[in-house]
Amino acid sequence: MTRPFPKDFLFGAATAAYQIEGAAFEDGRTASIWDAFSRVPGAVIGGDNGDVACDHYHRYPQDVALMKELGLETYRFSTSWSRVRPDGGAVNKQGVDFYKRLVDELLGAGILPWLTLYHWDMPQALQEVGGWTNRDTVERFLEYAGTMHDALGDRVNVWTTLNEPWCASFLSYTGGEHAPGHTSVAEGLLASHHLLLAHGATVRELRSRDSSLNLGITLNHTVADPADPQNPADVDAARRVDGQFNRWFLDPIYRAEYPADIVEDVRAVDAAAVRRFEEAVHDGDLATIAQPIDTQGVNYYHGDLVAGEAPASSPPSGGPATTRPGRSPYPSDAGIHAVERGLPRTAQNWEVQPEGLTRLLHRVWDEYAQPAGTVLYMTENGAAYDDVVSVDGQVHDADRAEFLRLHLGAVLDAAEAGVDVRGYFYWSLFDNYEWAWGYDKRFGIVRVDYDTQERTVKDSGREYARIIAARAL
């Protein structure tokens, strides 16, 4: 059976600046928090860094030509704060000019630019004065956003403020897995609020400049299920995962409030952290955060099956095997235990759960986006597998091609049931620097040989190109 996609459904792929650009200290760019964190012993597998990555900074014309060859209709990329306003200071013309050239190349190829302002590469100089725990960072981000709009506002219509603020706050300031690598409940809460405040202030500023812009944010989500729906402890564990992963960001953006149950959960384990957080939420902040948005990006990789008590046999860890100490990214983490359910797993031990994506899209649409008049796009979805280059020089990644088909089918299931989801971006176009995993895991539909920088379209890339051309599964 052939299943057509909606007429105006957009097919794209996604990347991020630090993960692919390289040229880390060229043309005026200075260190980001990831340049610093990647050099901390034990923080990143192999001690890898993004100094060269995929060398996209120098190879972007060939890369855009490859996008066109695959039939991509849109390309989601991020701009580097450290390249555009090094150290959070004055504008760096050379950095701005790179993005002008990239956007011109995309437009010349008939590819819609989908710009994300922040994909985790804060200037290290700002982190040294508190980073996202410092309210002044909101003003510095507004300056940076204004600079990008000054440069590209006439050619870029889609503007995303932040990518995955859960990662940029709780995984980074509480869990310690991402830069800057802190393990503080208080810092995670403060960072989450200031990230959301920067989002809302930027939406308000860009809307005042041009009311025709498509403005939004990208959130990563999970689907949290109790291992036993009849067990109150399991149900409560699922509630707290959902609250700390999903609702902590959805509720302030759409409802101008933080989830009260989660505030009280965290207060019970760290009252001082909650007191600092509540003092940081000034009058008017929540109204700023809840600026109306046109588009919400949904990032989904897998769900979570959780129990209130540790199971007899724990599932494999889905985190990188780094040696630097960390802690749970959940501020209130006691009584949350992952449970094995026998699903297939990727090379990162992430479960393959496409039906969870359909349920997630329904939930976000029904409870949040539809009442607000916001539309949805799948802005990240993908899988890492241990690819092998065959004797014919190709990568026959049947598992990734199947992952792609299954999740596109899950999106279609939601769309056919009435969810207004208007596009899909595969993560990622290229194998790239995968944060604390370094270069150990490959997500791309295009293989990158990091020694030669040669690009090879994998079988999954050819399958995606076939789906795009047919506009059907």
Side-chain angles (χ1 to χ4, degrees):
M1 182 178 68
T2 298
R3 302 180 66 194
F5 285 88
K7 179 182 177 182
D8 298 325
F9 193 88
L10 277 176
F11 293 96
T15 66
Y18 189 73
Q19 293 180 271
I20 69 165
E21 285 181 1
F25 301 101
E26 291 184 34
D27 294 340
R29 184 189 179 280
T30 58
S32 74
I33 54 176
W34 272 95
D35 293 295
F37 185 65
S38 64
R39 287 164 168 79
V40 174
V44 176
I45 290 176
D48 294 336
N49 59 56
D51 287 4
V52 176
C54 303
D55 197 32
H56 177 70
Y57 187 80
H58 299 112
R59 298 170 187 266
Y60 72 90
Q62 303 96 297
D63 289 343
V64 172
L66 183 55
M67 298 175 207
K68 183 176 182 179
E69 178 185 326
L70 290 170
L72 297 186
E73 297 170 320
T74 181
Y75 171 56
R76 177 175 174 256
F77 65 99
S78 73
T79 52
S80 168
W81 193 351
S82 297
R83 196 179 298 285
V84 170
R85 295 191 74 120
D87 298 332
V91 176
N92 174 32
K93 183 178 183 301
Q94 290 174 293
V96 173
D97 286 349
F98 166 68
Y99 295 109
K100 288 182 177 179
R101 295 193 301 271
L102 173 60
V103 166
D104 287 346
E105 199 77 24
L106 291 166
L107 293 173
I111 297 170
L112 174 72
W114 192 286
L115 190 153
T116 298
L117 286 164
Y118 188 68
H119 202 128
W120 312 343
D121 49 359
M122 170 186 286
Q124 175 62 18
L126 293 184
Q127 178 54 45
E128 289 170 5
V129 291
W132 285 114
T133 70
N134 183 347
R135 191 179 178 95
D136 287 346
T137 300
V138 175
E139 293 303 317
R140 303 291 79 74
F141 186 78
L142 264 178
E143 293 169 352
Y144 157 59
T147 296
M148 292 314 307
H149 184 263
D150 289 344
L152 297 174
D154 60 335
R155 283 165 287 174
V156 174
N157 181 253
V158 184
W159 294 78
T160 301
T161 54
L162 309 174
N163 178 76
E164 299 185 349
W166 182 87
C167 291
S169 56
F170 293 138
L171 196 61
S172 302
Y173 285 89
T174 297
E177 183 178 314
H178 280 189
H182 296 183
T183 53
S184 163
V185 169
E187 288 194 19
L189 294 173
L190 291 172
S192 70
H193 180 64
H194 294 144
L195 279 155
L196 289 174
L197 188 60
H199 153 74
T202 299
V203 169
R204 183 170 57 198
E205 170 63 19
L206 295 185
R207 186 85 70 199
S208 73
R209 292 178 175 215
D210 183 350
S211 62
S212 72
L213 296 178
N214 183 327
L215 302 176
I217 190 170
T218 284
L219 304 178
N220 55 322
H221 292 298
T222 189
V223 176
D225 292 319
D228 179 358
Q230 305 305 314
N231 184 326
D234 294 1
V235 172
D236 193 63
R239 174 192 65 81
R240 287 191 292 130
V241 169
D242 176 64
Q244 294 175 89
F245 205 110
N246 297 325
R247 291 186 287 120
W248 190 263
F249 299 93
L250 287 165
D251 284 11
I253 290 168
Y254 286 101
R255 299 172 179 170
E257 61 185 16
Y258 286 100
D261 61 321
I262 301 303
V263 173
E264 295 311 312
D265 288 340
V266 180
R267 193 190 311 275
V269 296
D270 195 332
V274 172
R275 185 165 56 252
R276 287 183 62 189
F277 164 73
E278 290 177 332
E279 290 170 352
V281 181
H282 295 184
D283 289 346
D285 281 5
L286 285 163
T288 296
I289 292 168
Q291 294 295 304
I293 55 175
D294 304 293
T295 294
Q296 187 202 321
V298 174
N299 291 0
Y300 172 83
Y301 291 92
H302 62 86
D304 292 283
L305 186 69
V306 294
E309 295 184 3
S313 176
S314 296
S317 170
T322 53
T323 59
R324 191 171 182 274
R327 55 146 285 163
S328 169
Y330 295 121
S332 172
D333 65 321
I336 297 175
H337 302 278
V339 176
E340 178 62 58
R341 52 183 152 188
L343 293 176
R345 290 180 177 269
T346 69
Q348 288 173 293
N349 285 317
W350 292 359
E351 292 180 327
V352 179
Q353 190 195 0
E355 62 81 23
L357 173 54
T358 304
R359 287 194 284 137
L360 170 65
L361 288 169
H362 273 287
R363 189 270 181 97
V364 174
W365 173 247
D366 292 341
E367 296 185 23
Y368 293 96
Q370 184 182 29
T374 300
V375 301
L376 303 178
Y377 285 82
M378 280 303 306
T379 39
E380 284 185 31
N381 173 244
Y385 289 104
D386 293 329
D387 300 329
V388 175
V389 180
S390 299
V391 292
D392 60 3
Q394 302 302 305
V395 178
H396 303 300
D397 57 337
D399 38 17
R400 185 177 290 105
E402 178 67 2
F403 182 99
L404 175 67
R405 286 189 295 266
L406 288 171
H407 286 81
L408 280 169
V411 173
L412 266 180
D413 289 343
E416 290 169 354
V419 175
D420 194 352
V421 52
R422 298 189 183 183
Y424 175 92
F425 294 77
Y426 180 79
W427 182 274
S428 178
L429 177 60
F430 299 115
D431 293 338
N432 57 43
Y433 181 80
E434 190 51 43
W435 308 114
W437 292 91
Y439 297 103
D440 190 57
K441 301 301 177 189
R442 293 176 177 268
F443 271 87
I445 53 174
V446 176
R447 175 182 169 80
V448 176
D449 183 318
Y450 297 118
D451 294 326
T452 66
Q453 291 296 334
E454 180 182 4
R455 275 75 161 138
T456 302
V457 178
K458 304 176 188 179
D459 283 1
S460 58
R462 295 190 181 90
E463 176 67 356
Y464 194 30
R466 185 197 65 76
I467 292 168
I468 295 170
R471 299 197 61 79
L473 276 179

